[in-house]
Amino acid sequence: MTIEGTNVIQPKLRMERVVSAMFDQNAYLVWLEGSEEAIIFDPGFEVEPVFQLVEKHGLKLAAICLTHGHADHIAGVGAVKKKFPDAPIVIGENEQKLLTDADLNLSRPMGFPIVAPPAEQTLADNQIYEVAGLKFHIREIPGHSPGSVVFITQGFSPEQVIAGDVIFSGSVGRTDFPGGSMRRLITGIHEKLLSLPPDTILHPGHGPSTNVGQEKLTNPYLDLKLVRQMPGQG
């Protein structure tokens, strides 16, 4: 487990990353400078470091936001909800079933069945979601999971994206899980992420952050011509 140091991305926007062992999964604590409220995105298997950061910065959680429902991204939801019962659990409307089904969230097939409490709020594609003094443009990009959503900050330069497992630095999310589709994933990335300004920063669910311009130039998985030729892609 590692904790990445505080990073002042914008004068009023702050973010810290907690990396959980086993899957090296990224959780993000995000808040406005001077605010007492924060959001935790995708709490994984190790939640004590998250609690330490919340206490260190004198914050309280306003929401538990999830990019998608795979086990490594929801493993800590129950513990976080117990610690901060007033923070609603928020996930994409087409992803909420994964929270309470160990088969759908892939934990049972991996040999460690887990579930999380059910969603208390769901998000739709193209919705503006406001919490803790921040605004996020929600975009649904399925393909890695049935209803993955990305959270795009509004009002910052450059904008920041909590991207989950949709896209990584030099790669994209796996699509060999049940219901996966490389065609849908890559098409969604082109339409809903690569259309953003090149300096838009992408914070993925695993690995280092990157930006839209870099992925356009160097990500080998983003060739639409190749994807459209793939057989059996829904």
Side-chain angles (χ1 to χ4, degrees):
M1 178 278 297
T2 58
I3 302 178
E4 300 258 333
T6 303
N7 178 18
V8 180
I9 298 171
Q10 191 75 6
K12 292 186 179 181
L13 181 64
R14 300 188 71 184
M15 179 185 297
E16 293 213 29
R17 179 174 67 150
V18 173
V19 184
S20 288
M22 184 156 38
F23 294 99
D24 289 335
Q25 178 267 339
N26 297 331
Y28 297 95
L29 186 70
V30 179
W31 72 101
L32 279 175
E33 183 85 24
S35 173
E36 295 182 352
E37 292 188 320
I39 311 149
I40 184 66
F41 289 90
D42 291 356
F45 283 94
E46 300 186 59
V47 294
E48 281 302 320
V50 174
F51 299 156
Q52 293 169 13
L53 289 174
V54 171
E55 182 176 358
K56 171 186 173 182
H57 294 293
L59 301 167
K60 60 182 179 181
L61 284 188
I64 304 164
C65 291
L66 308 170
T67 59
H68 65 296
H70 286 161
D72 52 332
H73 291 256
I74 67 168
V77 171
V80 174
K81 181 64 178 178
K82 184 176 181 180
K83 182 85 169 179
F84 301 97
D86 294 333
I89 298 168
V90 185
I91 196 169
E93 61 183 0
N94 294 313
E95 195 76 5
Q96 58 181 313
K97 291 181 180 179
L98 278 67
L99 289 173
T100 56
D101 189 316
D103 289 304
L104 293 178
N105 67 38
L106 306 179
S107 59
R108 195 188 311 279
M110 293 182 186
F112 52 90
I114 60 172
V115 293
E120 295 162 281
Q121 184 174 353
T122 59
L123 303 172
D125 184 41
N126 214 34
Q127 175 180 342
I128 298 298
Y129 172 59
E130 299 187 38
V131 64
L134 292 162
K135 290 184 179 181
F136 297 92
H137 185 186
I138 305 301
R139 290 183 172 176
E140 183 182 78
I141 305 178
H144 171 70
S145 67
S148 287
V149 295
V150 300
F151 294 76
I152 307 168
T153 62
Q154 301 291 280
F156 296 91
S157 181
E159 299 291 6
Q160 315 287 316
V161 181
I162 306 297
D165 289 358
V166 167
I167 190 169
F168 307 119
S169 177
S171 187
V172 297
R174 291 175 57 172
T175 59
D176 57 341
F177 299 130
S181 168
M182 182 64 80
R183 177 179 292 177
R184 294 185 73 195
L185 178 63
I186 302 306
T187 300
I189 290 172
H190 273 269
E191 293 177 349
K192 299 180 180 181
L193 283 182
L194 299 189
S195 57
L196 298 171
D199 63 348
T200 302
I201 300 175
L202 306 171
H203 302 285
H206 305 266
S209 297
T210 181
N211 64 57
V212 167
Q214 178 72 15
E215 297 314 302
K216 275 186 173 181
L217 288 173
T218 64
N219 194 316
Y221 293 89
L222 301 182
D223 187 333
L224 276 176
K225 292 181 180 178
L226 291 178
V227 171
R228 286 167 179 160
Q229 294 172 6
M230 291 181 178
Q233 296 292 331

